[in-house]
Amino acid sequence: MTTADVDSERPNGRPGHGQADGFEVFRDDWGIPHLKAGDALALARAQGHNAALDRAWQLETERHRVLGTTAAYLGAEALDWDRFARRARLADTARRCYERLTPGTAAWVRAYVDGVNAGLAEGAARTPEFAAAGLVPGRWEPWTPLGVWLSTHILFAGFPTKLWREEVARRLGDGRATLFATDGPGTSGSNGWLLTGARTTTGAPVIAGDPHRFIEDPGVYQQIRLACPEFDVVGLAVPGVPGIAHFGHAGGVAWAITNAMADYQDLYREQARRTADGGVEALGPDGWYRVHAHTETVEVAGGEAETVEVVETDRGPVIIGDVHDEPPGDEAPDAPVISLRYPPRVTGDLGFDVLPALLRARTVADLDTALDGWVEPVNVVLAADTTGATLHRVAGHVPVRPHENRLRVVPAHDPAYAWSEGAEPTPRTEVDTATGTAVMANERGLAAPLGIEFAPPHRADRIRELLGTPPGAGARRPTDTPQGTRGLTGPPWSAGDMAAVHTDTRLASSRQLLSLLAWAPDLGPDAERLRDRLLRWDRHMDADSTDATLYSRLRADVVHRLAGHPALRPVTGDADPWRSPAYPPLFRPWLAAVPRIGYALETLLTVGLLPYEERLAIVAASAEAVAANHDAPLPWGEVHRVAPWQALPGATPEEVWPGLAGDHDCVLSTSSVPGITDLFARGPAARYVWDLARREDSLWVVPFGASGVPGSAHHRDQSELWASGRLAPVTTDWNLLHRTEESTTMTTTPDPTASTVPALRPAVHEQKVEGFGVVRLVPVDPAADAGLLHGWVTQERARFWGMADHTREQVQEIYAFVDSLSTHHAYLALRDGVPAALFQTYEPDADPVGECYDVQPGDFGIHLLIAPAEGAVKGYTDALLTAFIGYVFSDPAHLRVVVEPDARNEKALARMVRVGFELGPEIEKPEKTARLAFLSRTVALGLV
């Protein structure tokens, strides 16, 4: 690299740019953001601001997933997740973890959130999904990014698989609990490999791979560059989370991860009962004890709100089952009460202090030290630096507990299954100097001491096989030469050669089925021809292969015949565990028998579940059935199309999603579900190649594009690259990038007091009310809020407010007048960002009410109008009153609250008495006969 190259890559290499008080946004030809700022905090704000502009819909969807409020705008189909998020206490755990961050990390995360909040309104205005869903953007809290990380990975370790094993053991016997053990439908895997300098054309290491996750639209990873004087890192960020966690290249050091397949979350079978006062008790090692319990209401668009009871025992939050008057006990397996114990809930640590340290890493040693603090998900890490040093280790927190905890649901009251202090040691190894390679593909390898189920070894073995040959000798190249890469360069590998590994389609797991097919007896003529064709097939799941489609047909038929076999009947058909009402629908993907059989097919056709002759007979019958279908198979890429998850399904109904080569056990792991569908929902969520010789020779691609905004030029412009196995170049020269108008000098969050979005205004008070949510009081904007307030005050239920016949303009005029006064104030109360009430304050001696009674020093008047959601949650108004009282008495000068509801409003008066107000006399006002009521500071301090 020349001096000119170095200068062009430096964040401040371009005169006049990178000012310390702001940030700049550059984009390459693919619209990928390159952010430059004067310090790390300004850069964090820039990253948050950019995420809000490019991924507003995705960010807000993730925020609502953390809160368990997605059904409020997506409808009943999102209710299952919301129940789980509430019961698992994801938001509360994120708050706990945020409170334990070091001050420097907390400031860094807050800066990111400041950027999100500053850009969210603009980003939402660009994105049509908000209007389609009737959603307005809310406000991100400092802990929200931790919640996004937690909700994204809470199911990553696949704890629901323990429910499946429990059902298999109960129905087939304890010895069969792991019969279906393989990389199942709910887990996520990846490929990753490292070549030392001895194996590359440049003499410097290369790291490459692809994370296999559920494909989402917009994509789960965002290509980005973060540059300031302290560091300059390119990589794949998670929208909603600051920094670059999993895949990054910092110039001097690069890193990548795969899922270690470790088991670090436990399920406990609880015995719980209702107490006489409505509380909950659970049975622990020392007997019955009272546990935390409260109710929350989940709003549902187009449907009735649902009340969810949140219960947490000493093990963790209850996520399955309801508490009844008497515990069902172990003798009632169809009505279990099961709690989830997961490390961040126990320790209050999500590992976020690692993220800024990764950005600052200069060497493998720096990176290794930072990763000692990693928590979850538990990963296998490969890293290398420009000195040639390498790293191959596991990072993450795996609790110390009995082996049985990893395998099954265990009894909560038995102390034998408790967690011990500390964490399991994380294994590490040296990169193999003999081969100059290291491979990680979720197989039972380095992380074996930490888990139960791992991916079959096929992907890892195939990658090692490919890397052990000259580039291209054992692999298929993409149809076209990848953009930004060179041709094959001989036995040493270059960065451009990595695409041949990424796109390999050899399906090694087909061996056992084809072996049985070869020996299948007494086949008819059509089935014989089918057998001959498939035995000549090269076992590559290529997109243009009709043999691959034919194999998929045979495999699917075998899966269904196995599902119908008497040996598996206790877990299939009407007995299929996914049909059980004992488990929430959210966990059905882990409990469905046919997908389990499909993914474990190689094992089931090999081990002694069925005698060899029966396996032969099943395959023979399937061959006859498939051969009898004379419809010519389409090319695999015609039927094997991506089916991405979208928060608003059908938002682009005219879109035809691309078809790809590959399959579940290929290196190009595009996971169809054998026996269910040839479509795939899991696959490469990104591909990357990190070149330690010249970072500008690195490569990357994502499934769709850099932008999450439909209609954007960069919304789908990488789709063809991704589908064909090609990659885009990583551009690092600032002179080749395009400076955009998004650049700003935002040293602090711009004052949003004039924002039309209430959630984006600064709060005068914020308070978390247990079991209810976070209440924020923000000033009323008369113009922006007139429509909202008019809708509230003109309802019959608000008749005592005295504005039933007012027009929208009259309501706006009234609150414009209130806004002009220094003694009277109007606020919107927001519950988790959603308007929930109108709260007004006034000084009695400056109000007509002061003429009707003897005003005392320290008196402070309030008015309260609850939004139409009142009654949807038990204790809704009382919860809001808790926050209002907390606000009023946060000022020591306020000694007594004064209210004067309409004397006919018996409901309001009763509520006031219930929370501690003392009723005073009736008074005559021009608009009503009112009843005074007073709440003293002394009484109130016992309420908040």
Side-chain angles (χ1 to χ4, degrees), residues 286-450:
D286 299 320
W288 291 95
Y289 66 100
R290 194 173 183 95
V291 303
H292 172 92
H294 71 268
T295 59
E296 299 184 12
T297 295
V298 181
E299 305 292 340
V300 182
E304 294 293 325
E306 179 176 306
T307 299
V308 174
E309 185 173 37
V310 178
V311 176
E312 185 166 14
T313 72
D314 285 352
R315 267 68 56 191
V318 170
I319 60 167
I320 297 172
D322 298 315
V323 178
H324 303 285
D325 292 340
E326 290 295 331
D330 292 337
E331 70 280 0
D334 291 327
V337 176
I338 296 175
S339 61
L340 171 66
R341 188 169 181 83
Y342 58 103
R345 187 72 190 161
V346 176
T347 65
D349 184 10
L350 197 53
F352 256 48
D353 287 318
V354 173
L355 299 183
L358 292 178
L359 296 176
R360 294 183 171 93
R362 295 290 184 269
T363 65
V364 158
D366 294 340
L367 198 78
D368 193 16
T369 300
L371 289 171
D372 286 340
W374 189 267
V375 174
E376 75 166 60
V378 180
N379 295 323
V380 176
V381 183
L382 286 175
D385 63 28
T386 51
T387 71
T390 58
L391 177 69
H392 190 185
R393 64 165 290 181
V394 175
H397 183 104
V398 178
V400 179
R401 78 276 204 222
H403 178 78
E404 187 73 8
N405 290 42
R406 299 182 184 179
L407 190 64
R408 303 271 293 275
V409 182
V410 295
H413 63 276
D414 190 337
Y417 300 101
W419 287 11
S420 301
E421 291 294 323
E424 296 283 2
T426 50
R428 62 175 60 228
T429 188
E430 299 296 325
V431 173
D432 188 344
T433 55
T435 65
T437 61
V439 176
M440 51 182 185
N442 323 114
E443 77 280 19
R444 188 180 297 274
L446 185 63
L450 304 178

Side-chain angles (χ1 to χ4, degrees), residues 503-823:
T503 57
D504 187 78
T505 60
R506 175 80 170 178
L507 187 66
S509 61
S510 64
R511 182 188 62 82
Q512 185 62 22
L513 174 52
L514 293 177
S515 176
L516 290 169
L517 178 64
W519 294 98
D522 305 322
L523 295 181
D526 288 343
E528 284 276 9
R529 284 190 289 273
L530 170 70
R531 173 165 62 187
D532 292 345
R533 179 175 176 179
L534 286 179
L535 292 181
R536 291 194 304 268
W537 173 47
D538 63 5
R539 304 186 189 183
H540 281 267
M541 301 296 283
D542 291 333
D544 60 356
S545 171
T546 54
D547 290 344
T549 306
L550 201 59
Y551 171 78
S552 178
R553 287 182 182 179
L554 177 67
R555 179 176 61 183
D557 195 87
V558 171
V559 167
H560 284 286
R561 290 180 189 276
L562 280 173
H565 193 280
L568 291 179
R569 199 164 291 155
V571 294
T572 60
D574 291 340
D576 196 321
W578 81 267
R579 300 179 186 276
S580 171
Y583 303 117
L586 182 70
F587 301 137
R588 284 178 180 168
W590 288 266
L591 292 165
V594 172
R596 286 284 179 184
I597 294 169
Y599 284 119
L601 183 63
E602 185 181 15
T603 301
L604 296 175
L605 292 178
T606 304
V607 300
L609 173 69
L610 301 180
Y612 178 69
E613 292 74 15
E614 289 192 42
R615 285 178 261 152
L616 280 177
I618 286 174
V619 173
S622 291
E624 295 286 2
V626 173
N629 178 1
H630 296 292
D631 293 338
L634 293 170
W636 181 235
E638 292 285 325
V639 297
H640 187 58
R641 295 184 178 275
V642 64
W645 180 85
Q646 296 174 298
L648 278 181
T652 53
E654 74 287 349
E655 187 156 17
V656 177
W657 298 105
L660 267 71
D663 200 34
H664 185 69
D665 289 322
C666 300
V667 177
L668 178 51
S669 183
T670 50
S671 299
S672 60
V673 185
I676 300 295
T677 180
D678 287 330
L679 300 175
F680 70 94
R682 286 176 54 203
R687 297 190 190 98
Y688 60 89
V689 181
W690 300 146
D691 191 332
L692 271 299
R694 286 168 46 88
R695 189 168 66 165
E696 60 267 37
D697 288 341
S698 298
L699 303 156
W700 53 6
V701 73
V702 293
F704 304 122
S707 173
V709 180
S712 161
H714 302 297
H715 186 225
R716 293 283 187 264
D717 61 337
Q718 294 186 51
S719 290
E720 197 277 331
L721 286 182
W722 176 75
S724 63
R726 296 179 290 153
L727 300 104
V730 173
T731 303
T732 58
D733 187 341
W734 295 101
N735 297 302
L736 300 178
L737 301 173
H738 315 289
R739 190 171 186 269
T740 76
E741 295 304 315
E742 301 160 53
S743 306
T744 179
T745 55
M746 185 183 66
T747 54
T748 59
T749 304
D751 181 9
T753 52
S755 173
T756 59
V757 180
L760 298 183
R761 299 173 197 158
V764 299
H765 180 70
E766 181 173 316
Q767 183 173 339
K768 178 188 173 186
V769 180
E770 188 66 41
F772 182 76
V774 175
V775 178
R776 301 176 68 251
L777 300 181
V778 302
V780 164
D781 182 323
D785 299 333
L788 174 70
L789 297 178
H790 180 258
W792 289 358
V793 301
T794 55
Q795 291 191 5
E796 169 60 24
R797 59 185 299 281
R799 62 188 181 279
F800 297 118
W801 207 252
M803 299 188 193
D805 60 349
H806 282 44
T807 65
R808 184 186 186 281
E809 290 70 23
Q810 288 173 319
V811 171
Q812 179 175 337
E813 289 175 5
I814 288 171
Y815 284 98
F817 174 71
V818 171
D819 191 47
S820 70
L821 302 174
S822 61
T823 54

